[in-house]
Amino acid sequence: MIILDRPYVSKFLKCSASRQNLPVLDTAQARALAGDADLRFTPAASFFPEAKSTRIYANSENSLELIMRELKGSPLASMIEICKDKLLFRETISDMYPEYGFAEVDAEDLDAFDPSVLPLPFIVKPARGFFSLGVHRVESDDDWPEISEAIRNETDRLNDQYPSEVVSAGTYIAEEAIGGREYAVDVYWDENGRPVVLNILHHPFGSEDDVSDRLYYTSDEVMRSMLKPVTEFAAELGKVCGFRDFPAHVEIRVLKSGRIIPIEANPLRFAGWCVADITRHAWGFDPYEYYFTNRQPDWNDLLEKRAGTTTAMTIGDIPADVDRKKLDGFDHDAFESLFDTVLELREIDWEKYPVFAFVFSRTDNANLPRLMKLLEEDFRHYLR
C-alpha cells in the first residue's frame, strides 16, 4: 500500500506502483501527481484498515500527519514517532550511545539556552526536520547569538512551507557534531526485524561547516566497504526501536574507529524526493518492489556486474541570494556538461523550492575527483 504526496513523485515510482497493482490512497494530491498513470486508487475508508496488517510506503513525509491520525495507537504509528521526534529517537537509542550529548531547545527560549552544556562543535536543528532545513553548526559559544537570531528569522518560513509533521521549527534539538564520513542508507526491516539494505550512499561535504545535500553517490567500493557494518548496525537499531515491516532512510556517520552513529532515521520511506530511484540507476533493481515483496539484493552478483562504476545524485541548488521569482530557466547543456554520463535530469519548480534540478549520473570510480569538484561549483552560472 502506498501514499503519494508532494513535493515530488517520480515516473519510476508511479510505474512501480502500477506494475505491482498497489493500493494507492485516493487523495486530491495523489490524483494530481499521478497524471496518466494507471493506479489503483483506494478510498481512505478501506485503505487504512488494511494498512494495519500489511506493508505501507509513503514517498513524502507530508503524509505522516494523516497516517499518525488514522493509525493512532498502532505499532506503525509508534515506529514513525520514534523516527520523527529527534529527541525521542535520541532517548530511545541512548543505551547504544551513552556518551553522546544532546539537549532540547525551545524556539521561544533561545536566549535562555546555555551553549556551554554541549561540547563544541554542535549541531542545532528542528526536532522534526527534513532536507537539511534549519540546520546550523555552532563552532563557538560566541556563535550562539547570531545563530539564535537566524533561527528566529527562519521559524515562520519553515512552518509555512512544510506541515508540522515534516518540519516543526517550534522545538529544536542541539546535539554533538559527529565527525567521520556521512552515509545515507535505504533499508527495510522484515516481519522478524531483520534488516535488508537496499542501498548505501556516501554523502560528502565541501567543508566542515557544509550541511548541504548537494551530492550523494554509491559504487561497488562504497558497498563492499560498508554493507557488512551497516547491516550489523541496522540490526541493532531495529531491535532497540522495535522496527518490523518498516522502511526507512537512515543517515549515519562513521568514525575513524569504524563506529557507526546515526544522525536520524526518516520513517516509512527511502531517500526523499524519489532520490531512492538512484538504486535502479546504480544496481538495476526496483527498491520499492523489493520492499513490498520481501526480497533482498544479491549483492555479490550486483557488485561484480557494476564493478568500477560510481552512480551519483546531484542537487542543482539555488544560492540563497538569488531571487527565484526572476528565474526563467537554466542552461541544460552547460549544466549537463558537468557530468560524465547523465542518466536522468529532473527539473524542479524553483518558485516553490530552492532547487532547479536533480541529476542522476554515472562515471568511472577513477573519475571520482571530478565528481567531488561539484561541491565547490557555483550553480548560479547555469541559471537564466
Side-chain angles (χ1 to χ4, degrees):
M1 310 189 76
I2 191 167
I3 301 178
L4 302 179
D5 208 335
R6 297 183 177 91
Y8 185 85
V9 179
S10 69
K11 181 179 179 180
F12 179 70
L13 177 55
K14 288 184 285 188
C15 289
S16 179
S18 176
R19 185 180 67 255
Q20 297 181 71
N21 196 32
L22 296 173
V24 178
L25 180 64
D26 193 353
T27 66
Q29 295 93 332
R31 287 191 176 271
L33 291 162
D36 58 0
D38 182 19
L39 300 178
R40 180 184 161 194
F41 287 108
T42 305
S46 56
F47 183 93
F48 285 107
E50 185 179 348
K52 294 179 180 179
S53 59
T54 190
R55 292 187 180 182
I56 185 173
Y57 184 92
N59 76 291
S60 168
E61 296 192 17
N62 289 2
S63 305
L64 294 182
E65 183 176 7
L66 174 63
I67 296 169
M68 296 291 284
R69 184 172 66 246
E70 292 289 341
L71 301 181
K72 185 178 181 180
S74 69
L76 180 61
S78 297
M79 289 184 277
I80 293 172
E81 185 63 22
I82 287 174
C83 295
K84 278 312 299 172
D85 187 327
K86 291 180 173 58
L87 286 165
L88 177 60
F89 180 67
R90 286 296 173 202
E91 292 166 356
T92 302
I93 66 172
S94 59
D95 287 345
M96 292 175 63
Y97 304 96
E99 76 284 5
Y100 187 76
F102 62 94
E104 180 178 356
V105 183
D106 194 311
E108 295 183 356
D109 296 317
L110 292 169
D111 294 333
F113 178 70
D114 180 5
S116 67
V117 300
L118 291 173
L120 295 167
F122 67 86
I123 302 295
V124 59
K125 58 187 178 183
R128 293 178 181 269
F130 173 65
F131 202 45
S132 294
L133 297 169
V135 178
H136 302 272
R137 183 182 175 95
V138 181
E139 296 282 354
S140 161
D141 291 349
D142 294 336
D143 293 343
W144 185 247
E146 181 179 349
I147 289 175
S148 62
E149 181 62 26
I151 291 173
R152 272 188 286 268
N153 292 336
E154 71 193 8
T155 296
D156 291 340
R157 175 176 57 83
L158 290 178
N159 286 338
D160 287 344
Q161 192 170 3
Y162 290 88
S164 61
E165 289 298 317
V166 178
V167 177
S168 178
T171 302
Y172 282 71
I173 178 173
E175 55 187 5
E176 287 186 47
I178 309 169
R181 304 181 309 277
E182 182 167 318
Y183 295 87
V185 181
D186 282 346
V187 57
Y188 75 85
W189 289 265
D190 66 15
E191 67 277 7
N192 298 314
R194 181 186 63 122
V196 177
V197 174
L198 298 176
N199 206 358
I200 302 173
L201 302 171
H202 185 206
H203 180 196
F205 296 98
S207 63
E208 285 192 359
D209 58 354
D210 182 9
V211 294
S212 72
D213 286 320
R214 175 172 286 194
L215 177 64
Y216 291 82
Y217 71 85
T218 188
S219 68
D220 59 311
E221 294 178 350
V222 169
M223 296 303 300
R224 290 186 191 280
S225 65
M226 294 305 303
L227 183 59
K228 185 177 185 292
V230 164
T231 301
E232 292 173 350
F233 154 77
E236 186 176 5
L237 181 69
K239 182 178 180 180
V240 170
C241 296
F243 293 152
R244 298 287 188 278
D245 291 319
F246 189 69
H249 180 69
V250 184
E251 298 172 14
I252 62 174
R253 284 285 180 116
V254 182
L255 306 182
K256 290 183 179 179
S257 64
R259 181 166 168 76
I260 293 176
I261 301 180
I263 301 171
E264 61 188 34
N266 299 281
L268 222 58
R269 66 169 176 85
F270 301 136
W273 284 70
C274 289
V275 171
D277 295 358
I278 192 175
T279 298
R280 184 254 305 189
H281 287 302
W283 309 116
F285 67 87
D286 180 346
Y288 314 109
E289 181 180 355
Y290 272 43
Y291 163 60
F292 281 112
T293 59
N294 209 42
R295 293 180 63 187
Q296 56 181 322
D298 182 346
W299 284 115
N300 289 333
D301 180 62
L302 292 172
L303 296 180
E304 183 177 344
K305 290 179 178 178
R306 301 296 175 103
T309 300
T310 293
T311 306
M313 187 286 303
T314 305
I315 296 179
D317 47 63
I318 300 173
D321 60 350
V322 171
D323 186 349
R324 304 202 305 270
K325 294 182 179 179
K326 294 182 179 180
L327 293 179
D328 292 324
F330 65 99
D331 188 333
H332 291 76
D333 293 338
F335 188 58
E336 290 189 12
S337 71
L338 294 172
F339 309 93
D340 286 347
T341 301
V342 173
L343 304 173
E344 180 183 357
L345 185 147
R346 298 173 176 173
E347 294 192 43
I348 304 298
D349 186 345
W350 53 78
E351 291 188 4
K352 291 183 178 179
Y353 307 101
V355 174
F356 63 88
F358 284 71
V359 175
F360 296 87
S361 64
R362 180 174 295 144
T363 190
D364 293 337
N365 291 350
N367 293 335
L368 188 59
R370 183 188 181 199
L371 191 66
M372 298 293 286
K373 288 183 179 180
L374 293 172
L375 296 171
E376 304 171 2
E377 188 75 20
D378 186 349
F379 286 164
R380 79 182 68 236
H381 299 316
Y382 308 102
L383 299 172
R384 296 196 184 106

